[in-house]
Amino acid sequence: MVLSVNESKSVIRRNGQEPEEVVSQESDDLVMNRVFIEAARQGRQDGILSSYADAARTLAVTLACQRSAEIGQPIELAEFMALKVH
């Protein structure tokens, strides 16, 4: 299965089947942010598809990739996460 996602639609391609298009009726980012904010307000996680710990690790990888692109060098994730920012 291959999943292609952009701002207006998602396309699911499965072997031997026609592609399935899923068109967003509302901004996916808006929906995702709304669900997250409501879950955080209520101290619940049932509407969130990953744990807060997974989200923090994903953010760390994203920030490390951004920093690596800025300096043009690979970054060891463990070292990056150990950095103290003031």
Side-chain angles (χ1 to χ4, degrees), residues 9-64:
K9 70 179 178 182
S10 299
V11 179
I12 303 168
R13 292 181 176 84
R14 294 182 177 94
N15 287 338
Q17 297 181 13
E18 290 293 316
E20 177 185 347
E21 287 190 10
V22 180
V23 179
S24 300
Q25 299 299 316
E26 186 175 10
S27 164
D28 290 337
D29 288 339
L30 180 62
V31 171
M32 182 176 54
N33 288 335
R34 187 180 304 131
V35 168
F36 176 79
I37 290 167
E38 192 60 29
R41 280 185 182 148
Q42 296 179 7
R44 297 183 2 244
Q45 192 172 331
D46 54 322
I48 300 173
L49 301 179
S50 66
S51 69
Y52 293 122
D54 284 344
R57 284 190 289 273
T58 300
L59 177 60
V61 169
T62 302
L63 294 174

Side-chain angles (χ1 to χ4, degrees), residues 1 4 6 20 39 48-49 51 68 80:
M1 178 174 71
S4 303
N6 68 31
E20 177 185 347
I48 300 173
L49 301 179
S51 69
S68 175
F80 179 80

